[in-house]
Amino acid sequence: MFPPTSAAVPLLFGSVAIGVSAAILAWRARPNPGAMPLVWLLAGQSWWSTCIVFSLSAGTAAEAVFWTRVGWVGVMTVPVAWILFSLEYTGRDEYLTRRNVALLAVIPALTVALALTEEYHGLLYVREVGVTARGSVLVEQGGIWYVVAAGYTYLLAVLGIVPILGLLSSGATAFRGQSAALIVGVVTPWATNVLYNLGAFPNVGIDPTPIAFAISGVAYLGAIDRFRMFGANPAPAWRAKQFLFDHIHEGVVVVDGHDTIVEMNRAAAETLEVDVKRAVGSRGTEMLPLSEPFRTDGERELLTVGTGSASRSYDVGVSELTDRHGGTLGYVFTLHDVTRYLQQQQRLKVLNRVLRHNIRTETNIIQGYAERTSGETAETITQRTARIVEISEKGRDAIDLFEDTVNDRGGTSLVGLLERSLDDARDAFPAVEFELEYPAEDAAVSEGLSVVLNNLIENAALHNDGEDRRVTVTAELDDDRARLRVVDNGPGIDDYELDVLNSGTETPLRHASGLGLWLVKWGTEVIDGSVTFESNDPTGTVVTATVPVRRRGVPDHNA
Amino acid sequence: MASKTNETPVSTDAVPWHADVPESVVDVGCRIRDVLTYSSTYLVFIAMIEVLTVHIVLSIPPNPAPIVVGLVTFAVYAGDRIADAADDEVSSPERSAFVTRHRTLLSVLTAITYGLAIALSLTGGPLALAITLLPGGFWILYASDWLPSLGSYFKRLKRVLIVNSTIVASAWAIAVVGLPLAFAEASVTPLAAVVFVYFLVDTFVNTEIPNVRDVEADEAVGVSTLPVVFGVRRTRHILYGLDLALVAFVVAALSLGILPAAAAAAILVGLGYALVLAWFVGRNAAPGRLAIAGEAKHLVVFALLLVFTTGI
């Protein structure tokens, strides 16, 4: 039977009981991240406590020294298991390679070997120094290697705490609770050990660290049971950041403040046709041959890789990385593949040329020939060719709309745009009475709005065949939006046309009569606006286009 | 002790024996019975009785061994029930439902009881600690998925014919006989060896009895047991053979003067009881009760031993 020799013994028994219980619960939680390292940690500290119990109950000095030496297996298991747990639990398991684990275990293995062979070298001595009044053998430990082992243990303790500290500010209560419990669990015994080594417990007679494991065990049990440590695990969060960085379709290159590449994802490596390991450490400006120094004001430029038809173009974005004081740490370059977009733009340019020049030229020739003859046939040919010209102009407007919107960075004056459109409309439709109301304060809007407005005014004027033809254009500013209303007293827009427009697409059997209303819809959409159609009383249509305002108070109306 | 025991409450149209007892008392009684059987807590008492039997036969003074064995029994068996809750849905749906419903509580309780057992075993020294760790270690090899996780060459020992029951029997025979000796710091005598063999073979038999009920479920999950491989009839014959061999062994130990007459008499009565139970294997409508009856044999042996040795 075990003779009670110290007041610390009941606490040691408690630390073993709690440690083993927590280890069993952690073992059952496999394969959750951190479960197995926590089992090793708890097994290590329980073994340490067990060996101290056996050392205190030893009948001979040799036996007491033996158990103290064997206890070093547990002593050195704890710090290694702690760092492994910390990395795995927080999702940094990519560092847990066999090589790294073996490296971490070198000093602990050496320590255990030195403890077991201490009589041959004295580097880590374990000696009997006396007997207590109750008959327990007192054992002293020390030597140069003791300092190394203690330092290494403290180092791993601190390194393991760092990733867990980050969870203290987590938005999830469970993670905050888990991390707090874990920190209490690891800090208590290590603080006890530091104080013991500093001579703070002269009367205890034994290293009280294993006694503190009773508190650790309770903390770990709390983390497992109360805060569902293996039911809600933060490990994926860290991995997700790395996963997104590695697998995002955009290429990402991180450059430090000295133009050295410090990180690059797979997409960037494939784009630049380089190996990530070789690229890291090289100069950013060599890898990213941009024409200008880094610009972080939102301006972008293109990077073309390859030649001829195999070349690809990338829109390069630059974001500055700053420290908490606002100082520049580096830059993040994003490479967005815009090859298809540029190809589409080239095709639009070709179409634009065809619509702008070739069709008009050909129809002019046809009209010329038609004018040489007379009669109904000639009249029909003239009307139809005029219709072809009109359609081609609408198509050209559509192309201009998309190009202008893309290239239009500064915006244009709302009032100037309204006046230009109304002037053109008065020239084109002299029989129609136009009214214009615009706000006292001007604002910058997208150039694309002109296509929308021209088509709305044209639609209101052209299809109005009454005697008193009127079109009223009203513009209002409301915070960051401009609202334009075009009101006419014509026959109104056919519901069928509006249905097709609202459906967003056409079929061979269901289509609108022309491109005008499509240009209105596309135009408002492409500049992040919206358009609504309502009936006017007693006749006509009220069209309301709402578009964003770039900025208020543009001084020059013709900007 | 056997590894599998479950009794499905038997429904009958006859007027139950407790018809005149107040309903609330019956309800509480049924709940206690469910807890004792489904969580295998009743095995705790039987395990402790087995250790006390060893104490009496080997004349070992009282020590914490029965408590430690009781705690370990609860931890290992309830832990096994938790691990096998899904597989038990076929053979023991009530037990599976009970364990699933109380999984968290049982899980924490089993961890705490094993922790307490380990801590208590420290008072018996390193050997007592090693013996206390043994059932848990064997259980990891026997029933958990740890061994298969090492590679495709390994499988749960629970699936391997004879090895499965031998592991269970060895773990418990070592714990039941070894722990009182370790706490008492007594040496292993021929008498202790005889008692060890008795518990080893007897536990093996008791482990195979409930396997008769679980043939279909065991086949479904790939567990090889005597009834699965040899069939129920031949299993019954094997159990006869093992019990009779044990009778011969006890008689031999008695004739050699190793085993005291009182102990031999109690054990032989118990073995007679076991042979009768073996006859019912495969013929009984309530195999779960048969398994419990097999475990309860140790109560009979202990009672007889008390009568024979102390005259109580």
Side-chain angles (χ1 to χ4, degrees), chain A residues 40-41 44-45 48 73-83 190 213:
Chain A
W40 283 111
L41 186 150
Q45 63 185 44
W48 187 354
V73 175
V75 174
M76 296 316 294
T77 299
V78 172
V80 177
W82 165 248
I83 191 82
W190 260 299
F213 286 148

Side-chain angles (χ1 to χ4, degrees), chain A residues 181-396:
Chain A
L182 289 169
I183 288 169
V184 168
V186 75
V187 166
T188 306
W190 260 299
T192 308
N193 190 258
V194 170
L195 291 173
Y196 169 71
N197 284 330
L198 293 173
F201 305 111
N203 299 321
V204 173
I206 57 166
D207 180 352
T209 309
I211 297 170
F213 286 148
I215 297 169
S216 302
V218 171
Y220 295 143
L221 272 177
I224 293 171
D225 191 46
R226 174 72 180 79
F227 298 112
R228 301 187 300 123
M229 188 160 76
F230 297 119
N233 195 283
W238 171 266
R239 295 299 301 272
K241 289 172 189 169
Q242 193 61 40
F243 180 86
L244 281 175
F245 184 80
D246 285 339
H247 295 271
I248 194 170
H249 288 305
E250 282 196 340
V252 181
V253 181
V254 184
V255 177
D256 70 2
H258 307 288
D259 189 32
T260 304
I261 293 176
V262 294
E263 190 63 279
M264 176 184 284
N265 72 353
R266 290 179 194 173
E270 286 172 10
T271 299
L272 301 170
E273 297 176 346
V274 294
D275 180 67
V276 174
K277 288 180 181 171
R278 290 189 179 181
V280 170
S282 56
R283 294 181 67 78
T285 45
E286 290 173 5
M287 203 62 73
L288 297 162
L290 302 173
S291 58
E292 296 179 42
F294 305 152
R295 295 187 306 196
T296 58
D297 54 359
E299 295 291 314
R300 288 168 174 260
E301 66 175 292
L302 293 180
L303 173 71
T304 301
V305 178
T307 55
S309 59
S311 70
R312 300 197 71 80
S313 298
Y314 296 89
D315 185 14
V316 183
V318 187
S319 301
E320 190 178 10
L321 291 173
T322 57
D323 60 19
R324 63 194 179 93
H325 302 296
T328 301
L329 285 175
Y331 301 91
V332 178
F333 290 85
T334 53
L335 308 177
H336 180 62
D337 191 345
V338 290
T339 311
R340 290 187 66 183
Y341 164 75
L342 292 178
Q343 287 170 346
Q344 192 75 4
Q345 203 174 37
Q346 285 173 345
R347 289 169 199 148
L348 284 174
K349 282 180 180 171
V350 173
L351 275 174
N352 197 0
R353 179 184 57 75
V354 170
L355 290 170
R356 194 180 291 277
H357 300 293
N358 297 32
I359 291 180
R360 178 175 282 278
T361 304
E362 296 301 321
T363 49
N364 282 344
I365 293 168
I366 294 169
Q367 281 183 336
Y369 277 102
E371 285 167 3
R372 291 184 187 182
T373 59
S374 60
E376 192 179 337
T377 304
E379 184 66 22
T380 304
I381 292 171
T382 305
Q383 285 176 358
R384 292 296 173 181
T385 49
R387 178 71 180 145
I388 291 172
V389 171
E390 184 192 336
I391 292 170
S392 72
E393 284 176 350
K394 294 284 181 192
R396 198 187 66 204

